[in-house]
Amino acid sequence: MSNGLTRLADTMNSIRTEIGKVVIGQQEVIDLVLVTVLTGQNALIEGVPGVGKTLLVRTLARTLGGRFGRVQFTPDLMPADITGTNVFNMKQNEFVMNPGPIFCNFLLADEINRAPAKTQSALLQAMQERMVTIDRKTYTLHDSFTVFATQNPVEFEGTYPLPEAQKDRFMLKIPMREPLREEELALVRRTLGADAPESLLASDAVKCVISADELVAMRKNLRELTVREEIAAYALDVVRATRSHHSVLLGGGPRAAQSMILASRAFAALCGRDFVTPDDVKQMAVPVLEHRLILQPDYEIEGLTSAEVIGSILQDTAVPR
């Protein structure tokens, strides 16, 4: 491995260690979050209340030396509440820009499906182009800007489904499950002492590993990874198979294919390798594709899930040697 890739892998391991001081377990979730920031994309985190979604993103922002922003999505939330607006300053006799919480490095869009589509769409330009337009003037966000949106998978009252165009802009859907019994017992014990997760984060026990600017520069090292033509074709075949599967109404589009290979490359780097394998593609298939698929109503009524469809496609798709 080159020096750049070795440094990247070592840095990611250090970030894992720092996050692990606060977040108990959830190693797979942490890896997917790191894949998200390494690729410069956005992620949808799905989990019931209390599993630590907000705590995870706050801790990540601390380790990466970035500014953390949070928006609690509600039915009455307006687009300007996210982006900001121009306010007239009586003393200066002019309009002054009052930036919203979107002007940060890592934005937590909490319970994003509680706001109507008009408000959700306020994020689209920022997620895709890292730009925000307010009163016809465009502002540029930092290159490290990342949206982590959360939603509750079991509560649907008072929620709005995410538009397909918006879901497609989330590279990964990260399921955050309840901890194992041993992990939850450790959490309960720590809550009684001075090393409770929230207390540790507030006491600066979590160290900054790299800055947001260094993260952006480090992403360039991913170009040194070897991605064989056969691997790229395999990732594409998996995505294309979702479009013709008998149980799928809408499969993954071209952005899904791009996300598949970018995520697989970043995951290989996290594993300390300078080449991508078919197993990396398989590991990223469900997080990349699950939220993008729309199943045929008949199959959905029967209880078939997108994850099961993706598993079937992986079994049927020829694996390169």
Side-chain angles (χ1 to χ4, degrees):
M1 286 179 59
S2 67
N3 292 335
L5 286 176
T6 300
R7 179 173 175 268
L8 186 151
D10 292 342
T11 300
M12 292 300 111
N13 283 331
S14 298
I15 292 173
R16 282 193 189 104
T17 300
E18 293 301 314
I19 295 177
K21 293 178 180 178
V22 175
V23 180
I24 300 174
Q26 306 286 1
Q27 292 304 311
E28 184 177 348
V29 172
I30 293 173
D31 283 347
L32 291 176
V33 166
L34 292 179
V35 166
T36 303
V37 296
L38 271 180
T39 52
Q41 302 294 315
N42 309 284
L44 182 64
I45 304 178
E46 190 173 82
V48 297
V51 293
K53 301 183 291 294
T54 302
L55 183 65
L56 171 64
V57 180
R58 285 177 56 203
T59 308
L60 175 73
R62 175 72 61 82
T63 64
L64 296 177
R67 182 184 173 192
F68 172 76
R70 180 179 180 273
V71 178
Q72 179 65 52
F73 279 63
T74 57
D76 59 349
L77 190 73
M78 300 299 292
D81 296 330
I82 300 172
T83 61
T85 186
N86 288 318
V87 179
F88 189 76
N89 188 310
M90 298 292 290
K91 292 183 178 181
Q92 300 178 8
N93 198 33
E94 63 180 3
F95 282 95
V96 177
M97 168 60 180
N98 183 24
I102 202 170
F103 288 87
C104 63
N105 301 103
F106 303 100
L107 177 69
L108 180 72
D110 210 359
E111 294 189 292
I112 189 173
N113 55 340
R114 290 210 171 276
K118 181 179 181 180
T119 301
Q120 292 174 8
S121 65
L123 289 175
L124 289 181
Q125 183 185 22
M127 290 170 63
Q128 184 65 24
E129 305 170 21
R130 289 194 171 89
M131 292 182 179
V132 178
T133 301
I134 302 173
D135 291 342
R136 303 179 185 178
K137 184 175 180 180
T138 300
Y139 301 85
T140 302
L141 301 174
H142 194 273
D143 287 339
S144 66
F145 176 76
T146 305
V147 173
F148 290 99
T150 73
Q151 63 179 10
N152 186 338
V154 296
E155 188 175 355
F156 301 104
E157 185 177 350
T159 64
Y160 302 82
L162 299 185
E164 296 307 316
Q166 185 173 2
K167 287 196 292 185
D168 195 39
R169 283 171 171 80
F170 289 109
M171 185 180 78
L172 302 178
K173 176 185 172 184
I174 305 175
M176 198 164 180
R177 300 178 177 87
E178 294 177 349
L180 300 174
R181 185 182 185 279
E182 295 77 10
E183 296 169 347
E184 195 165 3
L185 181 59
L187 173 61
V188 170
R189 286 173 174 165
R190 286 175 55 176
T191 302
L192 299 173
D195 59 345
E198 290 284 357
S199 299
L200 283 177
L201 189 59
S203 66
D204 294 331
V206 177
K207 305 300 181 185
C208 174
V209 178
I210 57 173
S211 67
D213 290 332
E214 289 174 321
L215 170 65
V216 174
M218 188 172 288
R219 289 173 182 165
K220 298 177 182 178
N221 294 320
L222 292 174
R223 301 171 187 169
E224 301 175 20
L225 268 84
T226 301
V227 183
R228 292 189 294 127
E229 190 69 26
E230 296 85 355
I231 299 296
Y234 173 61
L236 178 61
D237 289 343
V238 171
V239 175
R240 290 180 64 87
T242 65
R243 305 172 194 167
S244 56
H245 197 274
H246 60 87
S247 64
V248 178
L249 180 64
L250 178 65
R255 189 179 283 118
Q258 292 175 297
S259 296
M260 181 78 87
I261 200 64
L262 288 174
S264 300
R265 185 177 67 173
F267 185 74
L270 286 180
C271 295
R273 286 184 273 103
D274 60 356
F275 58 92
V276 181
T277 69
D279 286 340
D280 297 325
V281 176
K282 292 179 180 179
Q283 192 75 21
M284 292 295 105
V286 172
V288 168
L289 293 172
E290 184 179 18
H291 61 295
R292 290 182 162 97
L293 302 189
I294 298 179
L295 302 185
Q296 297 281 3
D298 293 346
Y299 289 94
E300 199 165 19
I301 292 173
E302 292 175 2
L304 186 67
T305 65
S306 297
E308 291 172 339
V309 172
I310 297 166
S312 174
I313 289 173
L314 290 174
Q315 287 184 343
D316 296 339
T317 305
V319 180
R321 296 182 177 180

